[in-house]
């Protein structure tokens, strides 16, 4: 393939759909009971969702300033490379390319097929084959055109919001519902407010993916800060209202005891068809998240390939001359995802990397201080509001997640760190190769 560049075809609406679509997965349908149980009361639960949202928003606003100053494809990998050193950026790109993104893609594909089994009884191997089929469909669409991927993302994001908005509307406006039945009882005995916030932070994950697409956005310096801040704010409001609706629809003890409080609330609000309604909504939600993850995943190995940092860089860094999409990087990420689908290792791998990824995310938030030290923000360019308070809030949230993860899963955290450091010999080898 001849040298070509990625087409600037991602619109503001499509970028917003990537932010919202990658944050809102299946977590909001499944997490309310866990957060409520740990928070101890409806009021504290809503406070935990808002606090988690504020930490996420603070991180997002901080990274948005970096994205505005360094509007290049590759996202956080590129920012770390420019703000810290090449090695820091490479290690993040390494784990994202080889494990994190393809394992997340595999997890979303399998989740889609598991929910599909609600409508059609299928065996374990059939679930994997369906997951493969869905992944190949999304792969082909994204190879043909980034526009196709953007349209899928927009439609899936609108589709996933329909059941959520329906539950919020009916749940908050119905005159008599059995919920809040236990609101006057003694506080629920959970792990505490801190654990409740931690539970919400996983449900807010995914917003940073849009920064990987910076090279394909029109006017990324203005677009990225806008879509990141508005997108995260929108999700905070949706999450808070959704939880309020569930609290009105179900007694508190039932919410805490249920593994699927979203589906239970839909049953109360819409009758027997409620579970079908919510399951279809989750499938659309997961489909959109799958598309978003694959779409943004490919931009990291493509950017690393352009810099000659990976084996087969010339192939991975190539852009299709006619379609102007990162076709080779998309195929590479999909092939790795297929390995994880059929080996069943995706959940283990994503769990191993939680600690490591949050080290890099926290470094990204703190990077705004380095950026300000090196250069004054240009006139008219986006600046993080309430600096330095905003990035401090984001960094404190990141450090809290790191400490909690290290305490809860020390062995997993160390293994994840070891996997990441395996990238160093690759880095040295590729660096020597480039010098020669």
């Amino acid at each position: 393939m001849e040298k070509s560049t990625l087409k600037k075809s991602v619109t503001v609406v499509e970028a917003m759909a990537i932010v919202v679509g990658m944050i809102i997965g299946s977590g909001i349908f499944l997490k309310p009971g866990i957060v409520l149980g740990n928070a101890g009361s409806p009021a504290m639960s809503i406070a935990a969702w808002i606090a988690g949202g504020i930490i996420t928003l603070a991180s997002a606003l901080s990274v948005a300033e970096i994205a505005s100053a360094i509007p290049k494809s590759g996202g956080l990998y590129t920012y770390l490379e420019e703000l810290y050193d090449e090695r820091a950026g490479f290690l993040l790109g390494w784990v994202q390319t080889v494990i994190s993104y393809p394992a997340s893609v595999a997890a979303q594909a399998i989740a889609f097929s598991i929910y599909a089994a609600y409508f059609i009884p299928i065996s374990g191997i059939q679930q994997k084959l369906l997951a493969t089929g869905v992944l190949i469909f999304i792969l082909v669409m994204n190879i043909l055109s980034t526009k196709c991927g953007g349209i899928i993302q927009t439609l899936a994001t609108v589709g996933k919001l329909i059941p959520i908005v329906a539950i919020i509307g009916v749940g908050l406006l119905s005159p008599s519902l059995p919920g809040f039945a236990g609101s006057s009882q003694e506080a629920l005995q959970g792990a505490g407010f801190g654990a409740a916030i931690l539970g919400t932070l996983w449900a807010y994950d995914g917003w940073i993916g849009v920064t990987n697409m910076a090279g394909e956005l029109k006017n990324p310096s203005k677009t990225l800060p806008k879509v990141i801040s508005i997108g995260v704010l929108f999700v905070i409001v949706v999450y808070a209202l959704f939880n309020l609706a569930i609290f009105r629809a179900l007694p508190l003890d039932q919410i805490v005891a249920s593994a699927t409080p979203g589906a239970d609330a839909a049953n109360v609000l819409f009758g027997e068809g409620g579970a079908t309604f919510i399951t279809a909504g989750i499938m659309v939600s997961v489909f959109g998240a799958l598309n978003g993850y694959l779409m943004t995943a490919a931009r990291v190995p493509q950017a690393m390939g352009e810099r000659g940092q990976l084996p087969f860089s010339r192939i991975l860094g190539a852009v299709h001359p006619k379609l102007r999409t990162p076709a080779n990087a998309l195929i590479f990420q999909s092939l790795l995802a297929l390995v994880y689908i059929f080996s069943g290792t995706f959940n283990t791998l994503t769990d191993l990397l939680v600690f490591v990824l949050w080290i890099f995310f926290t470094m990204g938030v703190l990077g705004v201080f380095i950026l300000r030290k090196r250069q004054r923000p240009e006139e008219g360019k986006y600046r993080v509001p309430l600096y330095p308070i905003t990035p401090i809030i984001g960094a404190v949230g990141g450090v809290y997640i790191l400490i909690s993860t290290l305490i809860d899963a020390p062995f997993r955290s160390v293994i994840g760190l070891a996997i990441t450091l395996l990238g160093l010999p690759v880095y040295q080898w590729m660096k020597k190769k480039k010098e020669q």
Side-chain angles (χ1 to χ4, degrees):
M1 288 184 187
E2 65 190 60
K3 180 71 175 171
S4 187
T5 55
L6 294 166
K7 191 176 181 181
K8 288 187 176 289
S9 60
V10 180
T11 66
V12 173
V13 172
E14 288 161 355
M16 188 76 74
I18 291 170
V19 176
V20 175
M22 286 185 70
I23 297 175
I24 302 177
S26 57
I28 186 56
F29 297 101
L30 310 174
K31 283 280 185 186
I34 297 166
V35 175
L36 173 62
N38 285 325
S41 71
M44 292 305 287
S45 177
I46 296 296
W49 282 99
I50 293 171
I54 288 169
I55 291 169
T56 303
L57 184 61
S59 302
L61 292 171
S62 304
V63 172
E65 180 171 324
I66 301 171
S68 178
I70 312 170
K72 299 177 184 176
S73 284
L76 188 58
Y77 143 73
T78 308
Y79 310 153
L80 294 181
E81 190 174 277
E82 299 215 6
L83 293 172
Y84 292 91
D85 65 8
E86 196 178 71
R87 197 178 284 105
F90 175 86
L91 287 176
L92 173 61
W94 161 258
V95 294
Q96 283 183 327
T97 296
V98 179
I99 298 173
S100 173
Y101 272 130
S104 295
V105 168
Q108 298 294 337
I110 283 290
F112 181 88
S113 63
I114 288 170
Y115 286 114
Y118 177 86
F119 299 99
I120 315 162
I122 49 178
S123 65
I125 190 66
Q126 287 171 329
Q127 284 182 2
K128 291 181 178 183
L129 290 172
L130 176 59
T132 302
V134 172
L135 175 56
I136 290 171
F137 171 76
I138 288 176
L139 168 65
V140 171
M141 290 298 103
N142 277 278
I143 287 175
L144 288 176
S145 164
T146 299
K147 199 78 197 159
C148 283
I151 291 167
I152 290 171
Q153 192 64 30
T154 304
L155 292 175
T157 301
V158 172
K160 75 171 63 181
L161 289 174
I162 291 171
I164 292 174
V165 170
I167 288 172
I168 290 171
V170 178
L172 294 181
L173 298 177
S174 292
S176 60
L177 286 168
F180 281 112
S183 57
S184 60
Q185 69 187 27
E186 287 184 27
L188 301 159
Q189 295 301 308
F193 189 66
I197 293 175
L198 197 62
T200 69
L201 286 169
W202 308 136
Y204 281 110
D205 196 27
W207 58 269
I208 204 165
V210 73
T211 60
N212 295 2
M213 310 287 293
E216 293 153 272
L217 283 166
K218 296 160 187 174
N219 197 359
S221 295
K222 286 189 176 178
T223 303
L224 277 173
K226 188 191 298 180
V227 298
I228 289 172
S229 51
I230 295 173
V232 173
L233 267 171
F234 175 76
V235 173
I236 293 171
V237 173
V238 168
Y239 279 6
L241 293 176
F242 187 81
N243 276 272
L244 276 174
I246 286 180
F247 296 156
R248 286 203 73 225
L250 299 169
L252 299 188
D253 53 356
Q254 187 182 337
I255 297 171
V256 174
S258 174
T260 55
D264 293 347
N267 267 326
V268 170
L269 297 172
F270 307 107
E272 285 301 312
T276 304
F277 178 63
I278 203 74
T279 303
I282 292 175
M283 283 184 71
V284 173
S285 190
V286 170
F287 184 82
L290 170 57
N291 181 73
Y293 271 101
L294 182 61
M295 194 180 193
T296 56
R299 272 65 189 176
V300 177
Q302 191 274 327
M304 293 183 80
E306 277 190 338
R307 290 170 171 79
Q309 292 181 318
L310 291 173
F312 310 107
S313 279
R314 196 174 296 175
I315 296 169
L316 290 173
V319 175
H320 196 286
K322 290 181 182 175
L323 303 173
R324 291 176 70 184
T325 58
N328 293 342
L330 281 162
I331 292 167
F332 174 64
Q333 292 289 266
S334 298
L335 287 173
L336 279 178
L338 286 174
V339 171
Y340 297 145
I341 285 171
F342 282 94
S343 64
T345 57
F346 47 87
N347 280 328
T348 307
L349 290 168
T350 48
D351 287 348
L352 285 174
L353 290 179
V354 165
F355 179 73
V356 170
L357 291 174
W358 273 97
I359 291 175
F360 292 121
F361 291 158
T362 308
M363 285 173 69
V365 174
L366 291 170
V368 76
F369 293 106
I370 299 170
L371 184 72
R372 289 280 184 106
K373 199 173 179 182
R374 284 190 192 166
Q375 60 186 63
R376 289 175 62 85
E378 290 177 35
E379 201 62 45
K381 281 237 177 153
Y382 168 82
R383 302 181 191 198
V384 59
L386 300 177
Y387 179 89
I389 296 167
T390 302
I392 288 170
I393 292 170
V396 166
V399 170
Y400 174 67
I401 292 175
L402 287 172
I403 293 169
S404 299
T405 307
L406 198 55
I407 292 168
D408 293 342
F411 180 72
R412 231 165 39 193
S413 301
V414 170
I415 294 291
L417 213 50
I419 290 170
T420 305
L421 294 175
L422 283 175
L424 284 176
V426 180
Y427 170 78
Q428 293 296 344
W429 175 51
M430 292 307 298
K431 193 175 180 183
K432 193 177 284 186
K433 202 175 175 184
K434 270 202 298 183
E435 285 168 0
Q436 289 171 349

